[in-house]
Amino acid sequence: MTQLSENLNKIKKSIDQINPKAKLLAVTKSVDASTIKALAELGVIAFGENRSDALLEKQAALSSLEKTIEWHFIGRLQTRQVRTIINQIDYLHSLDRLSLAKEIQKRADHEIKCFVQVNVSGEESKAGFKPEELIDQIHVLSQFDKIKIVGLMTMAPYEATDDALHQIFKTLKELQMTISQQNLAYAPCHELSMGMSHDYPIALSEGATIVRIGTALFEGI
Ligand SMILES: *Cc1c(COP(=O)(O)O)cnc(C)c1O
């Protein structure tokens, strides 16, 4: 077995043990198109990039897989890059400000599935809506008919303790439930994009439906 399939099996095993319905998003910003192809051959269908030029390049190199894989944009999206990328992706994980929503509304040629990013930890370096403003802002987003809010996304601080991580992911889950209970057509909000290489088991135990994993997948390859 290759190192890549070994890493993948380990991650899949812990997903199966903790929350078997969760989906693996392979974050491929550190690898090239051939590694993405190898992962697709191992059954991975969702791939995430945080730079629009890299995403478009890899997508072009893998156009033969177009029908079988999904592209997720996970990084901070500059307003001026919206027009080049927004109609090329299946999901945006980082809808983090109203000005970005406005630009998407202007540039999208169909409804875009978006995760609203929430800055649960309150770190200044992190993007996203503040938890206490989120519910109001979700209502403001109803004016943009090109935006479908499929879920919420957060990034936890790298150095957080396990207790703090549990608390952060729990808070995101509570916000997600508050929104989904409102039965808004434009914001079903059933998904939770949370958990990276160092914290995904905790995120899964708190209800993540999609984990974004790079480092743990590509270690040693
Ligand atoms: C890079 C990145 C990840 C994956 O991080 P790893 O620690 O490599 O698993 C997840 N989410 C976002 C937004 C990222 O930029």
Side-chain angles (χ1 to χ4, degrees):
M1 201 171 19
T2 66
Q3 185 68 51
L4 185 62
S5 62
E6 213 170 285
N7 294 349
L8 175 63
N9 285 348
K10 207 170 133 199
I11 294 165
K12 276 174 36 186
K13 203 167 153 196
S14 73
I15 292 176
D16 280 345
Q17 279 168 355
I18 310 171
N19 186 356
K21 287 199 196 119
K23 173 156 125 182
L24 169 64
L25 174 60
V27 175
T28 48
K29 61 193 179 200
S30 67
V31 298
D32 60 14
S34 65
T35 306
I36 299 179
K37 188 157 182 276
L39 274 176
E41 280 160 5
L42 292 168
V44 177
I45 60 160
F47 298 93
E49 290 280 335
N50 67 344
R51 284 181 35 223
S52 39
D53 50 353
L55 188 149
L56 295 173
E57 234 169 76
K58 292 172 191 179
Q59 197 174 48
L62 296 165
S63 55
S64 61
L65 296 174
E66 198 178 322
K67 296 260 170 341
T68 51
I69 65 177
E70 294 171 357
W71 291 97
H72 296 235
F73 192 88
I74 60 170
R76 188 165 174 87
L77 182 55
Q78 310 283 344
T79 307
R80 65 188 157 76
Q81 287 168 343
V82 169
R83 75 188 302 164
T84 57
I85 194 91
I86 201 67
N87 294 306
Q88 308 300 319
I89 58 177
D90 298 291
Y91 291 88
L92 174 69
H93 285 242
S94 45
L95 178 53
D96 59 1
R97 58 197 193 278
L98 284 180
S99 59
L100 180 58
K102 262 183 217 159
E103 186 67 11
I104 293 170
Q105 179 67 22
K106 200 155 122 193
R107 305 294 181 189
D109 61 19
H110 62 284
E111 187 180 73
I112 309 296
K113 289 178 261 187
C114 298
F115 290 81
V116 171
Q117 185 170 353
V118 188
N119 186 0
V120 180
S121 65
E123 281 180 294
E124 268 181 36
S125 61
K126 292 240 153 69
F129 292 93
K130 293 184 178 153
E132 62 274 22
E133 293 172 354
L134 180 68
I135 308 295
D136 283 349
Q137 298 299 307
I138 294 284
H139 292 139
V140 174
L141 289 169
S142 70
Q143 68 185 293
F144 303 118
D145 65 3
K146 294 280 169 48
I147 291 178
K148 182 101 167 186
I149 302 166
V150 298
L152 301 182
M153 178 274 221
T154 201
M155 287 176 81
Y158 191 78
E159 64 293 346
T161 62
D162 285 5
D163 281 353
L165 290 170
H166 277 285
Q167 200 47 58
I168 287 166
F169 296 140
K170 246 193 235 312
T171 300
L172 197 70
K173 166 93 191 173
E174 282 164 12
L175 290 166
Q176 176 260 318
M177 281 169 49
T178 303
I179 296 161
S180 68
Q181 280 161 7
Q182 297 185 14
N183 292 314
L184 305 167
Y186 69 95
C189 204
H190 293 306
E191 306 284 334
L192 275 173
S193 168
M194 56 189 198
M196 306 172 30
S197 291
H198 66 289
D199 57 14
Y200 75 90
I202 295 179
L204 286 167
S205 75
E206 296 296 348
T209 65
I210 178 160
V211 287
R212 309 180 308 270
I213 300 184
T215 310
L217 199 47
F218 304 117
E219 239 161 26
I221 70 162

